[in-house]
Amino acid sequence: QVQLVESGGGLVQAGGSLRLSCAASGRTSTSYAMGWFRQVPGKEREFVIGINWSSGNTYYADSVKGRFTISRDAAKNTVYLQMNSLKPEDTALYYCTARGGPLYYNNPRPDDFDSWGQGTQVTVSS
């Protein structure tokens, strides 16, 4: 099992930026993938962005392309979600997630991942 701890959420005005961090510990390996989902009350958890740890291949939801980027720091076992040009519709609880193997396709489902963080709230005001 991998333990994930998120940080960096908060309140920002539309058009602003935020950076989320997710530190992984426990049974990590070079073959795994990490990513972010988000969820608003009454809706399903939706995929935002993901990265394969070894190759660096990335996957993006259409709604965040050109605005969000994901990166990793191997020395710190941490991934970062840089969110720019934020919109009110980006408001959600953001969850960091990891799986024991690489991603091979875009828009994975929550069931495709093994470990989850506790979530960090992002609120974008108009």
Side-chain angles (χ1 to χ4, degrees):
Q1 191 76 2
V2 175
Q3 289 77 47
L4 304 171
V5 178
E6 303 122 329
S7 60
L11 173 64
V12 65
Q13 287 190 332
S17 299
L18 276 176
R19 190 177 81 156
L20 306 183
S21 301
C22 177
S25 61
R27 299 183 63 182
T28 60
S29 75
T30 57
S31 65
Y32 70 119
M34 291 182 69
W36 296 85
F37 281 71
R38 64 187 181 187
Q39 189 170 26
V40 297
K43 291 192 175 182
E44 293 184 353
R45 196 170 292 191
E46 68 169 355
F47 174 73
V48 176
I49 200 165
I51 187 168
N52 287 336
W53 197 259
S54 59
S55 68
N57 289 344
T58 54
Y59 301 85
Y60 296 81
D62 287 343
S63 59
V64 305
K65 278 182 181 176
R67 301 188 298 123
F68 291 12
T69 57
I70 188 170
S71 60
R72 70 201 190 287
D73 183 332
K76 296 181 179 179
N77 245 4
T78 298
V79 292
Y80 302 96
L81 173 58
Q82 179 66 43
M83 303 184 292
N84 299 326
S85 302
L86 282 161
K87 305 175 181 180
E89 51 264 43
D90 294 318
T91 295
L93 190 59
Y94 282 70
Y95 293 94
C96 179
T97 187
R99 55 180 268 146
L103 286 170
Y104 295 105
Y105 47 87
N106 206 357
N107 294 316
R109 302 168 303 172
D111 289 349
D112 293 327
F113 289 82
D114 311 308
S115 303
W116 294 87
Q118 77 284 1
T120 185
Q121 179 68 36
V122 171
T123 302
V124 184
S125 63
S126 57

